């Protein structure tokens, strides 16, 4: 169970895989007082493989909005914003959506068009989360934010998420998937005036490292976290190694 906190917590599976997995996750999260569930419909991959259930999963997410959760998915193209809003409006609550721009989606023009689409088509409660790009470059990260805000979307609807930077063969004693630069995240938060959360899953890359990143990040002024939790991580179709099960998630909430 979650202690009283004003922090943003987004938790749930890396990807939506089945109706049962989405609904089980939604119920477990709700029991713990979590308000936002991630379960991405689309999954851009480093190597070809399972790339998400796509549109087929939208009705599962719509059902989760009826359980009371805000659902979160990455979108790669502006059309996907419309697909999600339209289908959720039919079967659920279209105010309860958070879209995110993933780290591999680094076409600034597309980032801007997705933001514009959300501004134009989504109810005002719908938020947009932006992850940093995979490579270490503060100017590029600030550039993404400028492109997104140039769409005219209200900064109140935009949240930043630090998921670390690729180790690129450099020193990596803890075998992190992506190495956080907490100081940079705090500078970007200050310069943009936007909320900044941490993603311990895609930076850590393993269950012990998820705990390590959360512990380290407590020294900084993050506004919350996005963490991967799966009802059965061994069976997950993506990111098996880093997804927590629900009892590990309970332990994480105690130290958050
Ligand atoms: C994700 O959050 O599912 C993801 C793929 O993360 P990233 O874009 O940070 O690699
Ligand atoms: Mn993932």
């Amino acid at each position: 169970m979650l202690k009283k906190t004003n922090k943003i917590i987004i938790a749930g599976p890396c990807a939506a895989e089945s109706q049962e997995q989405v609904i089980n996750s939604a119920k477990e999260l709700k029991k713990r007082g979590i308000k936002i569930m991630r379960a991405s419909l689309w999954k851009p991959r480093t190597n070809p493989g399972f790339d998400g259930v796509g549109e087929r999963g939208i009705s599962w997410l719509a059902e989760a909005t009826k359980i009371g959760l805000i659902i979160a998915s990455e979108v790669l193209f502006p059309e996907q914003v419309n697909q999600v809003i339209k289908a959720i409006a039919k079967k659920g609550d279209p105010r309860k959506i958070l879209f995110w721009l993933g780290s591999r989606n680094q076409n600034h023009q597309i980032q801007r068009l997705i933001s514009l689409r959300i501004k134009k088509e989504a109810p005002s409660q719908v938020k947009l989360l932006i992850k940093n790009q995979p490579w270490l470059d503060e100017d590029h990260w600030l550039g993404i934010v400028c492109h997104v805000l140039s769409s005219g979307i209200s900064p109140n609807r935009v949240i930043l998420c630090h998921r670390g930077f690729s180790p690129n063969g450099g020193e990596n004693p803890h075998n992190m998937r992506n190495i956080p630069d907490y100081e940079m995240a705090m500078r970007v938060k200050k310069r943009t005036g936007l909320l900044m959360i941490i993603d311990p899953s895609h930076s850590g890359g393993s269950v012990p490292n998820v705990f390590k990143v959360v512990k380290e990040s407590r020294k900084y002024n993050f506004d919350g976290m996005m963490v991967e939790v799966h009802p059965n991580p061994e069976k997950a179709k993506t990111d098996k190694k880093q997804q927590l099960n629900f009892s590990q998630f309970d332990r994480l909430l105690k130290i958050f």
Side-chain angles (χ1 to χ4, degrees):
M1 188 62 195
L2 189 59
K3 294 175 280 188
K4 256 202 164 11
T5 174
N6 293 326
K7 301 232 180 212
I8 301 164
I9 301 182
I10 306 171
C14 178
E17 296 170 359
S18 67
Q19 182 166 27
E20 194 194 3
Q21 175 240 23
V22 167
I23 301 306
N24 282 349
S25 304
K27 287 182 179 157
E28 290 294 334
L29 292 168
K30 191 166 182 211
K31 259 198 255 170
R32 289 164 173 83
I34 304 298
K35 298 197 173 67
I36 315 178
M37 175 176 73
R38 62 161 290 149
S40 197
L41 296 164
W42 292 280
K43 293 301 312 164
R45 304 296 301 275
T46 306
N47 295 301
F50 170 75
D51 53 9
V53 294
E55 256 193 285
R56 193 160 64 85
I58 306 179
S59 61
W60 314 334
L61 298 187
E63 213 175 315
T65 66
K66 288 202 275 187
I67 296 175
L69 286 146
I70 296 168
I71 57 89
S73 176
E74 176 164 358
V75 277
L76 303 167
F77 304 107
E79 301 73 49
Q80 293 168 341
V81 170
N82 296 73
Q83 285 171 359
V84 173
I85 296 168
K86 213 168 130 201
I88 297 213
K90 267 197 205 143
K91 295 193 178 161
D93 185 343
R95 295 168 305 176
K96 293 192 180 318
I97 304 173
L98 178 147
F99 291 109
W100 84 77
L101 291 169
S103 66
R104 286 164 192 76
N105 196 355
Q106 290 307 318
N107 180 324
H108 282 179
Q109 201 55 23
I110 292 188
Q111 292 169 338
R112 184 174 179 279
L113 290 173
I114 288 174
S115 314
L116 197 59
R117 202 58 77 93
I118 294 170
K119 179 192 160 211
K120 280 195 170 159
E121 310 282 347
S124 61
Q125 296 85 349
V126 172
K127 302 255 194 299
L128 173 63
L129 182 92
I130 318 173
K131 290 190 156 204
N132 61 270
Q133 76 288 347
W135 63 93
L136 189 129
D137 183 340
E138 190 165 340
D139 282 341
H140 183 95
W141 195 0
L142 290 165
I144 308 170
V145 179
C146 289
H147 280 270
V148 164
L149 294 179
S150 73
S151 70
I153 192 169
S154 162
N156 299 332
R157 301 174 70 177
V158 180
I159 301 166
L160 303 182
C161 178
H162 185 37
R163 46 78 84 200
F165 295 109
S166 168
N168 254 340
E171 212 183 300
N172 188 9
H174 296 280
N175 201 18
M176 301 284 284
R177 183 171 176 187
N178 291 289
I179 301 178
D181 186 333
Y182 303 110
E183 303 284 347
M184 187 195 290
M186 289 302 110
R187 284 197 299 277
V188 171
K189 172 177 156 136
K190 197 162 172 209
R191 285 181 68 178
T192 59
L194 298 175
L195 295 172
M196 173 75 71
I197 67 172
I198 183 86
D199 175 346
S201 305
H202 295 86
S203 50
S206 66
V207 171
N209 278 350
V210 169
F211 279 83
K212 174 179 151 56
V213 172
V214 166
K215 276 188 202 144
E216 287 172 356
S217 70
R218 289 188 306 201
K219 295 188 215 103
Y220 299 86
N221 194 14
F222 284 96
D223 299 291
M225 68 170 164
M226 168 145 100
V227 60
E228 289 187 340
V229 189
H230 191 289
N232 189 355
E234 303 82 64
K235 292 268 161 68
K237 292 193 172 156
T238 52
D239 289 349
K240 256 188 230 271
K241 257 181 61 196
Q242 71 196 31
Q243 301 210 54
L244 308 187
N245 61 34
F246 276 95
S247 66
Q248 290 164 332
F249 182 52
D250 285 333
R251 276 205 285 126
L252 189 78
L253 289 177
K254 286 206 181 100
I255 66 154
F256 180 66

